[in-house]
Amino acid sequence: YTGGATLSAAKAGASVTHLDASNKVVTWASENKKLSGLDELPIRWIVDDALKFVQREARRGSRYDGIILDPPKFGRGPKGEVWEFYKLLPTLLHACAEILTSHPLFVQLTAYAVKASAATLYYAMEEIMQGKGGQTECGEIGLLEQSAGRYLSTAIYARWSSTKAE
């Protein structure tokens, strides 16, 4: 909810569109931009339903070099739209594939608190990026518990990245 990925991408030189269905989350991330002294970074803040936004972008002919997806297990859009990870993720992924440039750089998908494996996300990513070259990887994100040295899984991810030199 902090906009950390957005701020990192913009600081690395990307023009970023930050999209979330929650006005509170977008406001929080935007405030973090100011608090981090990064006001000059090119970030467009949008409160909207992700699937509807991506579908509109496709109709407009908008194209993106990279997409970072961090959908919730369940949520509601600004107009009460219902988001259910298992029902809508495939539709969202295919819509995202439509707005990628002809030579995309990356697509990152992270999932929290879902009953899916990283392999599930891997194969979903492979399906939407078929024919684009590149490579897909997947795994877990976790924290190391200091007191006992245990690894605590917090999320799963799949990431596709281009291997083409631009």
Side-chain angles (χ1 to χ4, degrees), residues 113-156:
V114 295
K115 293 181 182 176
S117 68
T120 302
L121 298 187
Y122 175 91
Y123 289 117
M125 187 70 68
E126 282 280 292
E127 180 180 321
I128 68 160
M129 299 309 291
Q130 186 175 7
K132 299 240 190 253
Q135 62 184 23
T136 303
E137 60 182 308
C138 68
E140 288 187 53
I141 299 171
L143 300 170
L144 185 60
E145 179 190 31
Q146 290 186 359
S147 63
R150 293 185 194 112
Y151 178 80
L152 305 172
S153 178
T154 60
I156 55 176

Side-chain angles (χ1 to χ4, degrees), residues 33-152:
K33 176 185 176 189
K34 291 174 189 161
L35 291 170
S36 300
L38 303 173
D39 283 335
E40 76 287 351
L41 295 181
I43 300 173
R44 182 170 66 142
W45 304 100
I46 296 178
V47 177
D48 200 349
D49 176 78
L51 181 56
K52 287 182 179 181
F53 175 81
V54 171
Q55 290 169 333
R56 271 195 315 279
E57 288 291 87
R59 288 191 299 273
R60 292 178 185 135
S62 299
R63 297 291 175 255
Y64 293 79
D65 290 319
I67 298 175
I68 299 171
L69 297 151
D70 190 27
K73 181 177 179 179
F74 179 85
R76 293 205 182 269
K79 295 180 182 170
E81 304 92 341
V82 175
W83 166 264
E84 292 182 65
F85 185 88
Y86 298 106
K87 288 184 180 179
L88 294 173
L89 182 65
T91 304
L92 178 60
L93 288 174
H94 284 283
C96 285
E98 290 182 33
I99 64 170
L100 288 168
T101 60
S102 58
H103 300 289
L105 301 175
F106 67 91
V107 178
Q108 166 78 38
L109 170 61
T110 308
Y112 302 85
V114 295
K115 293 181 182 176
S117 68
T120 302
L121 298 187
Y122 175 91
Y123 289 117
M125 187 70 68
E126 282 280 292
E127 180 180 321
I128 68 160
M129 299 309 291
Q130 186 175 7
K132 299 240 190 253
Q135 62 184 23
T136 303
E137 60 182 308
C138 68
E140 288 187 53
I141 299 171
L143 300 170
L144 185 60
E145 179 190 31
Q146 290 186 359
S147 63
R150 293 185 194 112
Y151 178 80
L152 305 172

